[in-house]
């Protein structure tokens, strides 16, 4: 709807006002960016401090690591980092994958920020209290089911406080208009919510050539299969039962020998042909995160309700469940090797 496009435009304007990264040192710099503006940005860099998680198997830690890595490649920005408090006290939430900070990022003790810095906090429970010396505070927040996120850190101002102004200018930072709507339901004025969709690195997620892709598929045991990939926690909002039931219909229509039982899948108009002309048996890969969500058990529980039944794991199975934590490079390889991505989420 046109109304939504207008709201997105307004939200982007709020984002630019809240956090302007002046200049850039990369080849993708706009052609009309004047050299004197670049020089000015170097003389007066933006002090930007990230208060985030490291060493946790959590999406917020991934967001923080990706953001600081991208900003470290820009000129006109002086970056620092401090480790935010984590509510997860046991070892199962520790990350098995190390993501070092870029060398030009200064690491400070928790709670300490450079005087006059813009602070971006990416952690949970949400804390709207600005650190001493901060010029501005942006708190990364996400809302599911178009509802207000429930948990605020002890001692933090409430969501509604943002409507009345705060001693340090404070805004929320969220990655989608859907999430923005949920945060607005908390009583947060829309002009206090900055919209900044997640980006993706085209260098890391570029398609592979045919030979590389074939090697990776062979290594994973995906040869001769049409691979549907789903990445998610397996929590109720991911709607695994609907996804599995839909996949069971596809798998049953193709048959174990790759033959077409019902005149094709997807209403008879589609074909499962990742390579060559032979129709391939479908495989659904459920990539979860066992350490944080116990996703494998959730997937197996959802499978019990599926008819016709689906086989799990093994060389000729219908469904493959992966619960291990993988590096960003390994995840990119998985996306590159699959034939289609599939999601049935009812809320994100």
């Amino acid at each position: 709807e046109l109304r939504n496009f207008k709201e997105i435009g307004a939200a982007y304007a709020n984002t630019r006002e809240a956090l302007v990264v002046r200049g850039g040192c990369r080849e993708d710099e706009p052609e009309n960016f004047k050299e004197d503006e670049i020089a000015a940005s170097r003389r007066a860099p933006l002090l930007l401090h990230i208060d985030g998680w490291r060493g946790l198997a959590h999406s917020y830690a991934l967001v923080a690591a990706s953001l600081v890595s991208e900003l470290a490649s820009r000129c006109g920005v002086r970056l620092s980092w401090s480790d935010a408090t984590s509510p997860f006290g046991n070892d199962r939430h520790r990350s098995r994958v190390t993501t070092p900070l870029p060398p030009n990022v200064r690491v400070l003790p928790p709670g300490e920020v450079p005087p006059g810095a813009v602070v971006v906090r990416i952690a949970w429970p949400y804390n709207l209290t600005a650190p001493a010396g901060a010029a501005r505070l942006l708190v990364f927040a996400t809302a599911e089911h178009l509802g207000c996120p429930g948990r605020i850190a002890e001692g933090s101002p409430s969501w509604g406080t943002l409507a009345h102004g705060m001693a340090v200018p404070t805004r929320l930072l969220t990655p989608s208009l859907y999430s923005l709507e949920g945060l607005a339901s908390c009583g947060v004025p829309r002009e206090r919510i900055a919209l900044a969709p997640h980006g993706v690195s085209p260098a890391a997620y570029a398609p592979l050539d045919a030979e590389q892709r074939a090697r990776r598929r062979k290594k994973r045991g995906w040869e001769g299969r049409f691979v549907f990939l789903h990445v998610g926690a397996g929590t109720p909002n991911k709607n695994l039962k609907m996804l599995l039931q839909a996949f069971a219909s596809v798998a049953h229509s193709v048959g174990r020998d790759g033959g077409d039982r019902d005149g094709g899948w997807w209403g008879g108009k589609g074909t499962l042909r990742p390579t060559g002309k032979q129709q391939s048996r479908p495989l659904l890969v459920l990539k979860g995160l066992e350490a944080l969500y116990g996703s494998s058990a959730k997937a197996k529980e959802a499978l019990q309700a599926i008819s016709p039944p689906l086989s799990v794991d093994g060389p000729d199975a219908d469904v493959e469940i992966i619960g291990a934590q993988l590096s960003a490079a390994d995840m990119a390889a998985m996306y590159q090797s699959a034939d289609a991505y599939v999601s049935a989420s009812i809320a994100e």
Side-chain angles (χ1 to χ4, degrees):
E1 295 180 5
L2 182 60
R3 178 183 67 85
N4 288 340
F5 283 106
K6 289 180 178 178
E7 289 179 0
I8 290 174
Y12 272 119
N14 292 337
T15 304
R16 292 188 63 186
E17 182 183 346
L19 175 60
V20 178
V21 178
R22 295 164 290 177
C25 298
R26 306 185 312 176
E27 293 181 358
D28 60 357
E29 190 62 55
E31 293 181 1
N32 61 354
F33 200 84
K34 299 177 181 178
E35 290 186 6
D36 59 340
E37 291 177 310
I38 297 177
S41 71
R42 287 172 176 162
R43 287 196 301 270
L46 173 68
L47 299 180
L48 190 59
H49 181 83
I50 310 297
D51 185 34
W53 287 342
R54 284 188 296 170
L56 286 181
H58 195 282
S59 58
Y60 276 30
L62 179 61
V63 169
S66 300
L67 178 63
V68 75
S69 176
E70 173 65 21
L71 289 172
S73 70
R74 307 293 183 104
C75 68
V77 181
R78 185 176 298 166
L79 276 174
S80 57
W81 172 283
S82 61
D83 292 314
T85 301
S86 165
F88 307 116
N90 53 53
D91 185 64
R92 74 186 184 92
H93 294 98
R94 303 305 302 174
S95 175
R96 304 300 189 264
V97 178
T98 303
T99 305
L101 292 172
N104 58 337
V105 177
R106 180 186 176 195
V107 179
L108 299 175
E112 183 178 326
V113 303
V118 174
V119 176
V120 181
R121 181 174 288 144
I122 308 175
W124 180 89
Y126 302 114
N127 186 353
L128 306 183
T129 303
R136 295 183 182 184
L137 173 65
L138 279 83
V139 177
F140 180 80
T142 53
E144 296 182 359
H145 302 280
L146 289 177
C148 181
R151 191 168 176 187
I152 293 282
E154 185 177 352
S156 168
S158 65
W159 297 115
T161 308
L162 292 172
H164 307 295
M166 303 176 74
V168 175
T170 302
R171 287 181 177 169
L172 304 182
L173 184 65
T174 201
S176 71
L177 184 60
Y178 182 90
S179 183
L180 187 152
E181 295 285 353
L183 294 170
S185 73
C186 301
V188 180
R190 291 174 182 271
E191 62 270 17
R192 297 284 181 183
I193 308 173
L195 176 63
H198 293 314
V200 62
S201 169
Y205 290 91
L208 300 174
D209 63 44
E211 186 177 340
Q212 285 180 306
R213 190 167 185 270
R215 283 200 305 268
R216 291 189 178 181
R217 286 173 63 88
K218 182 177 182 179
K219 184 177 180 180
R220 298 210 66 93
W222 292 357
E223 283 185 302
R225 307 294 294 271
F226 188 99
V227 180
F228 292 96
L229 174 64
H230 171 80
V231 179
T235 46
N237 63 303
K238 303 297 182 180
N239 205 11
L240 280 187
K241 288 184 179 179
M242 176 180 284
L243 173 61
L244 288 165
Q245 191 61 66
F247 176 76
S249 299
V250 173
H252 179 71
S253 70
V254 174
R256 291 202 165 274
D257 58 357
D260 191 342
R261 292 181 181 174
D262 302 323
W265 67 290
W266 213 325
K269 299 179 181 179
T271 54
L272 300 172
R273 292 174 181 163
T275 56
K277 297 182 179 180
Q278 294 297 319
Q279 181 161 263
S280 303
R281 279 193 56 226
L283 170 67
L284 175 61
V285 177
L286 300 177
K287 170 62 180 78
L289 188 56
E290 192 65 25
L292 185 60
Y293 299 109
S295 50
S296 298
K298 290 181 173 66
K300 290 176 181 178
E301 181 183 356
L303 277 161
Q304 293 176 1
I306 303 305
S307 179
L310 295 167
S311 58
V312 183
D313 296 330
D316 199 39
D318 300 308
V319 178
E320 179 182 351
I321 299 174
I322 302 174
Q325 185 184 2
L326 302 180
S327 67
D330 287 338
M331 284 302 303
M334 186 171 290
Y335 284 117
Q336 291 164 330
S337 302
D339 295 293
Y341 186 81
V342 59
S343 174
S345 293
I346 55 176
E348 286 293 345

